[in-house]
């Protein structure tokens, strides 16, 4: 389903410091304006902030409430794929995710896109009225067995980048989380890949020039979950007296065959897709070689004809004929699909390797228990 809405319509909300924005954002701006060391005006403080070089993103700090909302939304609709909006603040090298809300599931058409945009704007307005951080900093989405690396994800990133300087996508995998691992990761596109994608430069020559490989498309940002002191104290009160919980017992389950089977099925499908991409490039290089041979034969024939015309005292003909079909350049296929499929294959292999290693640990543990 689509997670791209009309972000330009609420771009005025993202970094609004006109007096109606979140109090925490206004406090930072006003504190910079009133900092000691010189009587600077408010406009001078704001201009200095905007002129500073952007700080690279180091960590995504998520409120525990936002994490629980994401998990609840994705688990309720699994295995269907869902998505939602991330709200928070961009503070230096930290992207703070303080709240989120889900997008409604509708059919993909123009009317549904308009309804989704109106719903999003209405939610932002309601959050604004109750003084909740309503700055858009990205979106979250669910996936099945880590299958999120698609062209649609990249297009969504590029749409967000038009109105938001820094944004992330939080990906949650309910199927992997059922194996005792919190499958939550924050992703962003690398700057080098975004530059090539904007300029339609995903060709072999440009990729070799920039030294960009398939591992340089996405960048995973570390996630830090934080809670207020009151929430931490409340969670401490809710902790069971027994140090062992049901979740600890679930991690000792020896049956992981369904999870492994699905991973292997998806891996085989990706291998077929990669083979299809390779066939496209083989077809392209065969056509390119055939065209070069035709050009050489035509050029040799034209040179012989020009030698005869010179001997007869006539003007030679040009050695290039743009109207000839053999001189029309053959467009090179994009490498994006192949790179994404390779990335996905690597992800599946890592999943299988991790699950297999955990299974061996469980088997050795069971063996030791039986021997005792």
């Amino acid at each position: 389903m689509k997670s791209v809405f009309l972000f330009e319509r609420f771009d005025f909300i993202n970094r609004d410091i006109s007096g109606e924005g979140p109090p925490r954002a206004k406090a930072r701006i006003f504190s910079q304006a009133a900092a000691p060391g010189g009587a600077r005006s408010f406009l001078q403080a704001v201009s200095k902030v905007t002129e500073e070089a952007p700080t690279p993103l180091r960590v995504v700090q998520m409120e525990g409430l936002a994490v629980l909302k994401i998990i609840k939304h994705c688990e309720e609709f699994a295995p269907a794929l869902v998505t939602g909006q991330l709200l928070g603040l961009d503070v230096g090298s930290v992207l703070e995710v303080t709240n989120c809300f889900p997008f409604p599931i509708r059919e993909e058409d123009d009317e549904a896109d308009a309804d989704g945009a109106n719903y999003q704007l209405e939610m932002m307005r309601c959050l604004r009225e109750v003084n909740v951080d309503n700055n858009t900093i990205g979106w979250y989405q669910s996936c099945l067995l880590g299958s999120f690396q698609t062209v649609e994800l990249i297009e969504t990133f590029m749409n967000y980048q038009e109105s938001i300087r820094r944004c992330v996508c939080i990906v949650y995998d309910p199927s992997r989380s059922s194996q005792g691992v919190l499958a939550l990761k924050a992703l962003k596109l690398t700057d080098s890949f975004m530059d090539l994608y904007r300029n339609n430069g995903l060709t072999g020559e440009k990729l070799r020039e920039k030294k960009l490989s398939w591992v340089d498309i996405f960048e995973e940002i570390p996630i830090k979950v934080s809670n207020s002191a009151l929430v931490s104290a409340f969670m401490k009160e809710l902790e069971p007296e027994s140090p062992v919980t049901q979740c600890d017992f679930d991690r000792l389950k020896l049956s992981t065959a369904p999870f492994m089977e699905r991973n292997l099925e998806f891996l085989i499908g990706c291998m077929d897709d990669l083979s299809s991409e390779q066939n496209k490039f083989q077809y392209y290089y065969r056509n390119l070689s055939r065209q070069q041979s035709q050009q050489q034969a035509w050029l040799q024939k034209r040179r012989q004809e020009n030698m005869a015309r010179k001997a007869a005292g006539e003007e030679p003909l040009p050695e290039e004929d743009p109207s000839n079909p053999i001189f029309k350049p053959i467009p090179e296929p994009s490498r994006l699909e192949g790179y994404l499929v390779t990335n996905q294959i690597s992800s599946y292999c890592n999943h299988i390797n991790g699950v297999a290693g955990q299974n061996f640990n469980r088997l050795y543990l069971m063996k030791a228990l039986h021997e005792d």
Side-chain angles (χ1 to χ4, degrees), residues 266-293:
F266 287 0
L267 180 59
I268 293 172
C270 284
M271 295 300 295
D272 293 338
D273 294 339
L274 184 61
S275 178
S276 300
E277 290 296 319
Q278 290 176 344
N279 290 334
K280 289 181 184 179
F281 282 97
Q282 290 176 0
Y283 180 74
Y284 163 74
Y285 283 117
R286 283 197 300 268
N287 289 340
L288 186 62
S289 177
R290 187 183 303 112
Q291 185 188 56
Q292 291 175 351
S293 300

Side-chain angles (χ1 to χ4, degrees), residues 138-159:
W139 79 102
Y140 70 86
Q141 68 180 49
S142 61
C143 67
L144 182 61
L145 294 177
S147 55
F148 60 86
Q149 299 173 5
T150 60
V151 178
E152 289 76 14
L153 178 64
I154 294 177
E155 291 176 351
T156 307
F157 262 117
M158 301 306 295
N159 288 330

Side-chain angles (χ1 to χ4, degrees), residues 1 9 13 16 36 61 79 88 95-96 108 115 129 148-149 162 177-178 219 229 247 254-255 259 317 337 361 368:
M1 65 176 285
R9 295 177 58 185
I13 297 177
D16 186 10
Q61 181 174 307
L95 201 63
E96 297 182 8
E108 295 185 4
D115 292 341
E129 290 178 355
F148 60 86
Q149 299 173 5
E162 292 178 1
S177 297
S178 63
E219 179 183 355
C247 183
L254 299 179
S255 176
F259 184 79
L317 298 174
E337 286 287 352
N361 291 336

Side-chain angles (χ1 to χ4, degrees), residues 5-152:
F5 292 98
L6 304 179
F7 306 108
E8 293 82 359
R9 295 177 58 185
F10 59 85
D11 184 49
F12 67 94
I13 297 177
N14 288 336
R15 302 188 184 280
D16 186 10
I17 55 173
S18 60
E20 301 178 1
R24 294 170 62 186
K26 292 191 296 180
R28 288 189 177 89
I29 299 297
F30 283 109
S31 64
Q32 290 171 353
R40 295 185 299 164
S41 67
F42 174 74
L43 292 178
Q44 288 175 339
V46 173
S47 62
K48 183 176 181 180
V49 172
T50 55
E51 291 175 358
E52 290 179 353
T55 307
L57 184 60
R58 302 296 184 189
V59 65
V60 175
Q61 181 174 307
M62 300 185 66
E63 295 281 346
L65 177 61
V67 174
L68 292 177
K69 283 184 176 181
I70 293 173
I71 294 175
K72 182 176 182 292
H73 184 210
C74 297
E75 292 283 358
E76 284 182 350
F77 290 90
L81 303 182
V82 296
T83 183
Q85 191 78 62
L86 295 177
L87 306 173
L89 298 171
D90 185 358
V91 185
S93 61
V94 180
L95 201 63
E96 297 182 8
V97 181
T98 58
N99 208 338
C100 64
F101 62 87
F103 290 150
I105 299 178
R106 294 189 177 95
E107 297 295 331
E108 295 185 4
D109 53 28
D110 295 337
E111 184 178 355
D113 288 347
D115 292 341
N118 293 331
Y119 167 80
Q120 190 175 8
L121 289 171
E122 184 66 19
M123 284 292 296
M124 302 284 281
R125 185 187 66 81
C126 294
L127 292 173
R128 188 186 187 91
E129 290 178 355
V130 295
N131 285 333
V132 175
D133 291 332
N134 61 349
N135 300 317
T136 302
I137 57 173
W139 79 102
Y140 70 86
Q141 68 180 49
S142 61
C143 67
L144 182 61
L145 294 177
S147 55
F148 60 86
Q149 299 173 5
T150 60
V151 178
E152 289 76 14

Side-chain angles (χ1 to χ4, degrees), residues 235-251:
M235 294 299 295
K236 188 68 176 177
E237 291 292 331
L238 294 179
E239 285 186 0
E241 297 180 359
S242 174
V244 181
T245 62
Q246 183 62 37
C247 183
D248 296 323
F249 290 114
D250 292 340
R251 294 193 184 98

